[in-house]
PDB file of all heavy atoms in Angstrom:
ATOM      1  N   VAL A 486       1.022  23.382  54.811  1.00 83.00           N
ATOM      2  CA  VAL A 486       2.482  23.461  54.823  1.00 83.00           C
ATOM      3  C   VAL A 486       3.026  22.807  56.079  1.00 83.00           C
ATOM      4  O   VAL A 486       3.971  22.027  56.039  1.00 83.00           O
ATOM      5  CB  VAL A 486       2.937  24.935  54.728  1.00 83.00           C
ATOM      6  CG1 VAL A 486       4.424  25.052  54.966  1.00 83.00           C
ATOM      7  CG2 VAL A 486       2.568  25.515  53.383  1.00 83.00           C
ATOM      8  N   ALA A 487       2.387  23.114  57.192  1.00 83.00           N
ATOM      9  CA  ALA A 487       2.867  22.574  58.462  1.00 83.00           C
ATOM     10  C   ALA A 487       2.748  21.061  58.495  1.00 83.00           C
ATOM     11  O   ALA A 487       3.558  20.373  59.105  1.00 83.00           O
ATOM     12  CB  ALA A 487       2.078  23.190  59.613  1.00 83.00           C
ATOM     13  N   LEU A 488       1.734  20.545  57.837  1.00 84.00           N
ATOM     14  CA  LEU A 488       1.492  19.100  57.899  1.00 84.00           C
ATOM     15  C   LEU A 488       2.236  18.333  56.810  1.00 84.00           C
ATOM     16  O   LEU A 488       2.152  17.120  56.753  1.00 84.00           O
ATOM     17  CB  LEU A 488      -0.002  18.819  57.788  1.00 84.00           C
ATOM     18  CG  LEU A 488      -0.794  19.148  59.042  1.00 84.00           C
ATOM     19  CD1 LEU A 488      -2.272  19.053  58.766  1.00 84.00           C
ATOM     20  CD2 LEU A 488      -0.399  18.203  60.167  1.00 84.00           C
ATOM     21  N   LEU A 489       2.931  19.054  55.953  1.00 85.00           N
ATOM     22  CA  LEU A 489       3.569  18.405  54.811  1.00 85.00           C
ATOM     23  C   LEU A 489       4.460  17.221  55.189  1.00 85.00           C
ATOM     24  O   LEU A 489       4.361  16.168  54.555  1.00 85.00           O
ATOM     25  CB  LEU A 489       4.361  19.441  54.006  1.00 85.00           C
ATOM     26  CG  LEU A 489       4.389  19.185  52.516  1.00 85.00           C
ATOM     27  CD1 LEU A 489       2.991  19.103  51.956  1.00 85.00           C
ATOM     28  CD2 LEU A 489       5.179  20.270  51.812  1.00 85.00           C
ATOM     29  N   PRO A 490       5.315  17.346  56.214  1.00 84.00           N
ATOM     30  CA  PRO A 490       6.144  16.174  56.549  1.00 84.00           C
ATOM     31  C   PRO A 490       5.284  14.970  56.894  1.00 84.00           C
ATOM     32  O   PRO A 490       5.555  13.857  56.449  1.00 84.00           O
ATOM     33  CB  PRO A 490       6.941  16.629  57.770  1.00 84.00           C
ATOM     34  CG  PRO A 490       6.787  18.083  57.848  1.00 84.00           C
ATOM     35  CD  PRO A 490       5.609  18.491  57.052  1.00 84.00           C
ATOM     36  N   ALA A 491       4.220  15.202  57.653  1.00 85.00           N
ATOM     37  CA  ALA A 491       3.340  14.096  58.038  1.00 85.00           C
ATOM     38  C   ALA A 491       2.721  13.476  56.795  1.00 85.00           C
ATOM     39  O   ALA A 491       2.653  12.250  56.654  1.00 85.00           O
ATOM     40  CB  ALA A 491       2.262  14.609  58.975  1.00 85.00           C
ATOM     41  N   ILE A 492       2.283  14.324  55.874  1.00 87.00           N
ATOM     42  CA  ILE A 492       1.638  13.807  54.668  1.00 87.00           C
ATOM     43  C   ILE A 492       2.622  12.983  53.851  1.00 87.00           C
ATOM     44  O   ILE A 492       2.328  11.867  53.423  1.00 87.00           O
ATOM     45  CB  ILE A 492       1.096  14.980  53.822  1.00 87.00           C
ATOM     46  CG1 ILE A 492      -0.016  15.703  54.577  1.00 87.00           C
ATOM     47  CG2 ILE A 492       0.590  14.481  52.481  1.00 87.00           C
ATOM     48  CD1 ILE A 492      -0.470  16.978  53.917  1.00 87.00           C
ATOM     49  N   VAL A 493       3.813  13.549  53.663  1.00 86.00           N
ATOM     50  CA  VAL A 493       4.799  12.859  52.829  1.00 86.00           C
ATOM     51  C   VAL A 493       5.159  11.513  53.429  1.00 86.00           C
ATOM     52  O   VAL A 493       5.140  10.489  52.747  1.00 86.00           O
ATOM     53  CB  VAL A 493       6.046  13.738  52.649  1.00 86.00           C
ATOM     54  CG1 VAL A 493       7.178  12.934  52.032  1.00 86.00           C
ATOM     55  CG2 VAL A 493       5.716  14.937  51.796  1.00 86.00           C
ATOM     56  N   PHE A 494       5.439  11.524  54.745  1.00 86.00           N
ATOM     57  CA  PHE A 494       5.823  10.247  55.353  1.00 86.00           C
ATOM     58  C   PHE A 494       4.661   9.272  55.359  1.00 86.00           C
ATOM     59  O   PHE A 494       4.838   8.068  55.190  1.00 86.00           O
ATOM     60  CB  PHE A 494       6.364  10.470  56.766  1.00 86.00           C
ATOM     61  CG  PHE A 494       7.800  10.887  56.767  1.00 86.00           C
ATOM     62  CD1 PHE A 494       8.172  12.162  57.138  1.00 86.00           C
ATOM     63  CD2 PHE A 494       8.779  10.003  56.353  1.00 86.00           C
ATOM     64  CE1 PHE A 494       9.493  12.552  57.109  1.00 86.00           C
ATOM     65  CE2 PHE A 494      10.101  10.384  56.321  1.00 86.00           C
ATOM     66  CZ  PHE A 494      10.450  11.664  56.702  1.00 86.00           C
ATOM     67  N   GLY A 495       3.470   9.789  55.553  1.00 86.00           N
ATOM     68  CA  GLY A 495       2.290   8.925  55.533  1.00 86.00           C
ATOM     69  C   GLY A 495       2.164   8.222  54.200  1.00 86.00           C
ATOM     70  O   GLY A 495       1.991   6.994  54.130  1.00 86.00           O
ATOM     71  N   LEU A 496       2.255   8.989  53.125  1.00 85.00           N
ATOM     72  CA  LEU A 496       2.135   8.405  51.793  1.00 85.00           C
ATOM     73  C   LEU A 496       3.260   7.419  51.521  1.00 85.00           C
ATOM     74  O   LEU A 496       3.050   6.336  50.972  1.00 85.00           O
ATOM     75  CB  LEU A 496       2.147   9.515  50.735  1.00 85.00           C
ATOM     76  CG  LEU A 496       0.917  10.413  50.732  1.00 85.00           C
ATOM     77  CD1 LEU A 496       1.065  11.505  49.703  1.00 85.00           C
ATOM     78  CD2 LEU A 496      -0.318   9.586  50.432  1.00 85.00           C
ATOM     79  N   LEU A 497       4.450   7.809  51.938  1.00 83.00           N
ATOM     80  CA  LEU A 497       5.615   6.963  51.711  1.00 83.00           C
ATOM     81  C   LEU A 497       5.433   5.619  52.408  1.00 83.00           C
ATOM     82  O   LEU A 497       5.632   4.553  51.822  1.00 83.00           O
ATOM     83  CB  LEU A 497       6.846   7.681  52.263  1.00 83.00           C
ATOM     84  CG  LEU A 497       8.156   7.398  51.560  1.00 83.00           C
ATOM     85  CD1 LEU A 497       8.064   7.913  50.128  1.00 83.00           C
ATOM     86  CD2 LEU A 497       9.296   8.088  52.285  1.00 83.00           C
ATOM     87  N   LEU A 498       4.998   5.685  53.672  1.00 83.00           N
ATOM     88  CA  LEU A 498       4.828   4.451  54.423  1.00 83.00           C
ATOM     89  C   LEU A 498       3.721   3.602  53.823  1.00 83.00           C
ATOM     90  O   LEU A 498       3.819   2.381  53.774  1.00 83.00           O
ATOM     91  CB  LEU A 498       4.532   4.771  55.885  1.00 83.00           C
ATOM     92  CG  LEU A 498       5.776   5.147  56.679  1.00 83.00           C
ATOM     93  CD1 LEU A 498       5.399   5.643  58.048  1.00 83.00           C
ATOM     94  CD2 LEU A 498       6.706   3.939  56.793  1.00 83.00           C
ATOM     95  N   LEU A 499       2.652   4.257  53.366  1.00 83.00           N
ATOM     96  CA  LEU A 499       1.572   3.507  52.739  1.00 83.00           C
ATOM     97  C   LEU A 499       2.076   2.787  51.502  1.00 83.00           C
ATOM     98  O   LEU A 499       1.763   1.615  51.275  1.00 83.00           O
ATOM     99  CB  LEU A 499       0.436   4.454  52.364  1.00 83.00           C
ATOM    100  CG  LEU A 499      -0.552   4.706  53.483  1.00 83.00           C
ATOM    101  CD1 LEU A 499      -1.498   5.819  53.101  1.00 83.00           C
ATOM    102  CD2 LEU A 499      -1.315   3.429  53.782  1.00 83.00           C
ATOM    103  N   ALA A 500       2.859   3.493  50.720  1.00 79.00           N
ATOM    104  CA  ALA A 500       3.397   2.880  49.510  1.00 79.00           C
ATOM    105  C   ALA A 500       4.263   1.687  49.866  1.00 79.00           C
ATOM    106  O   ALA A 500       4.166   0.612  49.267  1.00 79.00           O
ATOM    107  CB  ALA A 500       4.193   3.909  48.718  1.00 79.00           C
TER     108      ALA A 500
END
Side-chain angles (χ1 to χ4, degrees):
Chain A
V486 171
L488 286 171
L489 213 57
I492 295 172
V493 169
F494 278 111
L496 291 177
L497 211 64
L498 281 172
L499 274 171

